[in-house]
Amino acid sequence: MGLAAAMFLSSQSLPVRADDLSLPEMTLVPAGWYWQGSDEIERDYAYRIDEQIYGEDMARRNRWYDSEIAKWRIYLPKFEISTTPVTNAQYAAFIKDTGHPAPGVTREIWDSYGLVHGFEATRPFAWKDGRPRAGRENHPVVLVSWQDAMAYTRWLGEKTGDTWRLPNEAEWEKAVRGPDGTFYPWGNIYDPTRLNSADRGPFDTMPVKSFPAGPYGLYDGAGQVFEWTLTQQQPGARIVKGGSWDDRGCGVCRPAARHSRPEHLRHILIGFRVLRVAPHKDK
């Protein structure tokens, strides 16, 4: 049986204890229709706000947002998704229990990625002696690959007896955006006071829940960190969503925005949240 098939198998649901701080807090997204993707009006808005901030049209010339899914109405069954990105403290329980490598990256591997950020930019986010840096326990975990995130979901399944996985792109977008197809979780006008982006700083991750929640009660869906999804763009690459603390504009922080990154990449801008399949007995 393949990994993907195994991750979708139903299992007897066991409740996640509310007082177990090592497990993610979960939010139920009800079954129903929602608007996924973007239309020409939304994409043009994204290009224009990027041009206003950066003073040039690189995003439009490179057609950054032209690959977004054409806006359409789609029905999804109910599911539960973590209220915030997985935090360092939550991920630390997984590391302690399994001995999985802690978030980090060597200079050689980082330089091989060819990214804009130099290796020194990774140091505040890299764990030391198997633990997150002091004061960052409630920040989203980063420097985790897609494979690392998948290993964490498997551990959650073993720990709770439930079925856990990463959200696919459609599930992630509905959970963050809500049913109405607005450009951002809060509406159609970009507001830098409602997310962690480079428009206001602090040019770093922040504690989760530092900004207002979105339509279903999720936090940090726009800005803060990009998030891995289950959706494959091409072999070896997965869609990431959400924008980050390093983005300005923030056209890329819209829930409809999408691009892919290699599954093996451990990046200071990428974290994840998890999905738990809602038990069938729940009505």
Side-chain angles (χ1 to χ4, degrees):
M1 180 182 296
L3 172 61
M7 293 304 295
F8 279 88
L9 285 178
S10 296
S11 63
Q12 182 180 2
S13 175
L14 301 175
V16 172
R17 290 170 46 200
D19 61 345
D20 189 342
L21 299 181
S22 69
L23 296 177
E25 176 186 353
M26 303 302 289
T27 294
L28 177 67
V29 177
W33 295 89
Y34 88 105
W35 288 100
Q36 183 187 18
S38 64
D39 55 20
E40 185 177 350
I41 293 173
E42 179 176 341
R43 291 191 294 273
D44 182 65
Y45 178 81
Y47 286 131
R48 286 190 289 109
I49 61 173
D50 282 1
E51 289 165 7
Q52 179 179 356
I53 293 296
Y54 290 105
E56 49 85 24
D57 63 350
M58 182 177 67
R60 192 184 295 271
R61 284 187 286 108
N62 289 301
R63 304 175 64 181
W64 284 0
Y65 308 131
D66 288 9
S67 65
E68 293 172 12
I69 294 170
K71 197 166 189 177
W72 70 317
R73 195 158 167 78
I74 176 176
Y75 181 91
L76 291 180
K78 63 189 173 187
F79 57 90
E80 292 175 305
I81 191 167
S82 54
T83 308
T84 71
V86 172
T87 65
N88 283 312
Q90 291 161 354
Y91 199 76
F94 160 64
I95 298 298
K96 181 178 180 181
D97 195 45
T98 65
H100 191 88
V105 65
T106 66
R107 182 184 296 272
E108 180 181 10
I109 291 176
W110 183 260
D111 289 346
S112 74
Y113 295 156
L115 301 171
V116 172
H117 304 86
F119 177 72
E120 293 306 315
T122 69
R123 297 304 82 201
F125 303 97
W127 291 22
K128 186 175 182 180
D129 299 326
R131 298 178 181 177
R133 305 281 176 156
R136 290 181 172 270
E137 293 83 359
N138 203 33
H139 288 222
V141 65
V142 294
L143 287 176
V144 287
S145 68
W146 184 84
Q147 290 96 337
D148 293 330
M150 290 291 287
Y152 178 79
T153 66
R154 292 193 293 272
W155 174 75
L156 285 175
E158 295 167 359
K159 186 174 178 66
T160 66
D162 289 343
T163 303
W164 299 77
R165 56 177 172 83
L166 295 179
N168 63 38
E169 181 178 10
E171 292 161 338
W172 187 97
E173 189 172 330
K174 179 181 180 180
V176 169
R177 187 178 201 175
D180 299 329
T182 53
F183 298 178
Y184 295 94
W186 55 81
N188 288 334
I189 304 299
Y190 177 60
D191 183 351
T193 69
R194 299 184 70 97
L195 80 169
N196 179 11
S197 75
D199 289 311
R200 298 178 75 238
F203 312 106
D204 191 357
T205 55
M206 297 174 66
V208 297
K209 296 188 178 182
S210 293
F211 296 90
Y216 292 118
L218 267 69
Y219 292 84
D220 300 297
Q224 184 81 291
V225 293
F226 284 100
E227 299 177 20
W228 290 113
T229 74
L230 198 64
T231 301
Q232 186 178 68
Q233 174 78 351
Q234 58 194 24
R238 302 282 168 164
I239 295 293
V240 297
K241 305 277 282 185
S244 78
W245 55 265
D246 192 50
D247 291 298
R248 298 169 63 201
C250 191
V252 74
C253 299
R254 294 171 301 110
R258 65 197 301 266
H259 64 283
S260 66
R261 287 292 181 261
E263 293 173 356
H264 67 273
L265 182 69
R266 292 186 173 97
H267 202 305
I268 59 176
L269 303 182
I270 302 178
F272 68 101
R273 71 180 74 215
V274 294
L275 179 146
R276 183 173 64 171
V277 178
H280 294 297
K281 64 182 180 181
D282 292 346
K283 302 298 183 182

